[in-house]
Amino acid sequence: MKKKLLVAFICMILASLAIPAAALAADITIDDAYMAANPTASPYDLNAHSAGDIITISTSQPITLYSTAYPIAGIQIVCTGNVDVSLDSLFVNNLTNGVSPLTITGTGNRITAIGNSLLVGDISNPGIKVEAGSAVIFDGISSTSIVAQSGDVSNDGTGTAAGIGGADGIAAGTITVYGALNLQGRASGAGAGIGGGRGATGGTIVIYDGRVEGYSYGGGAGIGGGSGAAGGSITVEDGFVLGRATGGGAGIGGGYNAEGGNITINGGQVDAASLSSGAGIGGGNSSVVNGSGNSGTIVITGGSVIGESSSGAGIGSGYLAQSNTGSITITGGTVRGTAANEGAGIGGGSYSSAGTISITGGSVVAQSTNGRGLGSGDNWGGGSLSIAGTAFVIAEGNVALADIGSAFTAFTIGGTAEVFTVNGTFDASLSTAHTQEPGVLVPAGGDLTGVGNAYNFASPAGWEAASTVGYFVTRVQSIAAQQQAANPQTGDSSHVYLYAIIAMIMAAIVAVILLIRKKALQH
């Protein structure tokens, strides 16, 4: 009998040794004491864990997390501050587990990509949760990526959390991006791709390098605020930045029915679009008349910047903001704002004022299919415009409206600014006695000041149609060449030769108009 008990006991021991490590793992805290006791702890294989386990990182020593088999489901990685964590080919799928795969708390955290990782939260939890008051730096090397999403992005509009940032009703902390990695945040619903959860601001987002992409498939901004919340503070110093929103938020800026926040672009390549009626860069689509989709404060000092929308402004406010009290300041860079419908290329969305627009440098193109190129959106007016310094501006609006205009309360063009209007139209409210010829280029030192005054569009001596077209084409091609040299990163390469294409189209338009006028005079 004793022999049988001994055999049974030995069998139990052997059986326990045969249990997979994953079944034995549980919650663990990796701190300095753990690292001292386990000098080979890094790299750490998360495949030893199963659903429900919490891995808390609280050591300042570098540690690499990876998985040998994936996806892993239901685990939580929590960084508590001043950690240095590298992710190497990590795939955590918590789509049905109700927790974020990676949570950032405290400050001084660094997450570095050394492989390609995918972190999926459920509809209420970000792929990477960056809690309010916390801070994280994302870093990486070339050809590495971190993709984080909330919910199933193929089931549009169902989620409430950001892809990277805040959960439902929770603002994001501070998110900073360095390095050459590709960082993507995708929100299945009302959260921002990168930024705030539903009803929460985008926190502070600073991008120094890399390729950063934010997508919201509900009412959040691509990068910025969640639905119903402002964009927070967004700064782009360099890198390639892509923002896309489909449910009323801005590509970069405010969520649905919210203002853009504080947006500063000092360099890099920025491509932002709202596929509904938020601004490409600026405010979201408003839910009610005189809503909250103001531009916020937009400052562009350099880089290559593209903002696109339908009924919102390409750069400015969203649809229905009306009394847009935001401001747009452009001092440098190559900038294009495009609206496909009644919003202005740069200024106000449809039924929205232009706000305060100041352009003192850079090369700027403002286009709208059914609205004004530069000014307020269709069906509305107000705001102010100042073009001065060394600015070079091309404006094209709907032929029946105006290239530039919107019943501005103040309107100034001066300095050495050069302004080209494709249709040659300014809002009639600027001067009832004024008529504008197509393709007028305000000469260096030209002046256009005051509302209701006689404007000076005197041509330079010896200025002829052929030389005008030639100058225009040369000027814009030069801009395109400078843009390409300054921004060799390919990104969306279709935009690199944008200005050269615009130049050829506009030159053709001017040439046709001049030919028609010449024939009319001959008869």
Side-chain angles (χ1 to χ4, degrees):
M1 183 65 178
K2 289 182 178 180
K3 282 187 176 182
K4 289 183 179 181
L5 289 172
L6 179 61
V7 169
F9 180 71
I10 293 172
C11 289
M12 288 175 63
I13 293 174
L14 293 173
S16 67
L17 293 174
I19 296 174
L24 294 174
D27 294 352
I28 186 172
T29 297
I30 300 176
D31 54 15
D32 289 342
Y34 179 91
M35 295 294 286
N38 299 274
T40 61
S42 182
Y44 187 87
D45 187 358
L46 289 170
N47 199 56
H49 290 274
S50 58
D53 289 352
I54 300 174
I55 300 93
T56 301
I57 311 295
S58 61
T59 178
S60 59
Q61 298 181 50
I63 184 168
T64 297
L65 305 179
Y66 75 104
S67 55
T68 53
Y70 44 85
I72 305 170
I75 68 168
Q76 299 180 68
I77 305 165
V78 179
C79 298
T80 62
N82 298 310
V83 306
D84 185 357
V85 176
S86 294
L87 303 183
D88 186 4
S89 304
L90 185 62
F91 182 8
V92 181
N93 186 353
N94 289 353
L95 188 60
T96 61
N97 297 93
V99 292
S100 291
L102 174 59
T103 297
I104 305 296
T105 65
T107 60
N109 298 287
R110 180 180 292 271
I111 304 297
T112 302
I114 60 174
N116 298 321
S117 296
L118 174 61
L119 306 174
V120 181
D122 69 352
I123 60 174
S124 302
N125 289 280
I128 300 176
K129 183 190 295 183
V130 183
E131 295 187 344
S134 64
V136 60
I137 293 173
F138 289 99
D139 204 344
I141 58 177
S142 180
S143 301
T144 61
S145 66
I146 299 174
V147 179
Q149 71 181 54
S150 61
D152 182 355
V153 295
S154 66
N155 186 14
D156 297 356
T158 59
T160 58
I164 300 173
D168 189 6
I170 300 176
T174 298
I175 299 169
T176 305
V177 184
Y178 286 100
L181 83 162
N182 179 4
L183 180 69
Q184 293 186 31
R186 300 173 178 268
S188 63
I194 301 175
R198 180 177 64 178
T201 66
T204 300
I205 300 169
V206 184
I207 300 168
Y208 288 100
D209 201 356
R211 183 182 178 100
V212 180
E213 304 175 37
Y215 304 87
S216 176
Y217 298 93
I223 299 174
S227 179
S233 175
I234 303 167
T235 302
V236 179
E237 297 290 349
D238 205 347
F240 180 84
V241 182
L242 183 72
R244 292 288 186 271
T246 66
I252 295 176
Y256 176 73
N257 197 34
E259 70 170 34
N262 295 307
I263 303 168
T264 302
I265 301 171
N266 296 322
Q269 292 178 267
V270 177
D271 186 336
S274 173
L275 305 184
S276 53
S277 297
I281 299 173
N285 175 23
S286 295
S287 60
V288 295
V289 174
N290 202 18
S292 302
N294 292 332
S295 304
T297 301
I298 302 171
V299 177
I300 301 172
T301 68
S304 172
V305 182
I306 295 171
E308 300 173 292
S309 181
S310 56
S311 294
I315 300 174
S317 72
Y319 173 69
L320 272 183
Q322 290 197 358
S323 56
N324 174 20
T325 57
S327 65
I328 302 167
T329 302
I330 301 173
T331 64
T334 54
V335 182
R336 179 168 74 93
T338 300
N341 290 315
E342 294 84 6
I346 297 177
S350 180
Y351 289 95
S352 177
S353 162
T356 301
I357 305 173
S358 172
I359 305 174
T360 59
S363 302
V364 180
V365 175
Q367 299 171 297
S368 178
T369 303
N370 294 314
R372 300 176 177 97
L374 182 60
S376 293
D378 191 13
N379 305 303
W380 213 254
S384 65
L385 171 65
S386 174
I387 303 176
T390 59
F392 176 69
V393 179
I394 305 166
E396 179 182 13
N398 180 276
V399 175
L401 289 171
D403 293 332
I404 299 176
S406 65
F408 291 119
T409 57
F411 182 34
T412 302
I413 297 180
T416 60
E418 300 168 304
V419 180
F420 188 92
T421 58
V422 175
N423 299 305
T425 55
F426 286 80
D427 195 301
S429 66
L430 297 177
S431 173
T432 55
H434 172 63
T435 58
Q436 174 66 39
E437 297 296 332
V440 167
L441 185 69
V442 176
D447 181 65
L448 175 58
T449 58
V451 176
N453 297 327
Y455 295 101
N456 175 18
F457 289 99
S459 301
W463 186 38
E464 298 178 358
S467 63
T468 303
V469 173
Y471 171 83
F472 180 70
V473 172
T474 302
R475 181 77 164 86
V476 178
Q477 287 177 337
S478 172
I479 293 166
Q482 292 171 10
Q483 175 186 355
Q484 185 179 13
N487 299 283
Q489 191 171 188
T490 55
D492 187 350
S493 60
S494 63
H495 296 305
V496 172
Y497 299 102
L498 168 68
Y499 291 96
I501 294 171
I502 294 172
M504 290 185 286
I505 293 172
M506 291 182 176
I509 293 171
V510 172
V512 170
I513 293 171
L514 291 172
L515 180 61
I516 293 171
R517 292 187 64 197
K518 183 177 180 181
K519 288 186 177 181
L521 290 172
Q522 289 175 345
H523 292 289

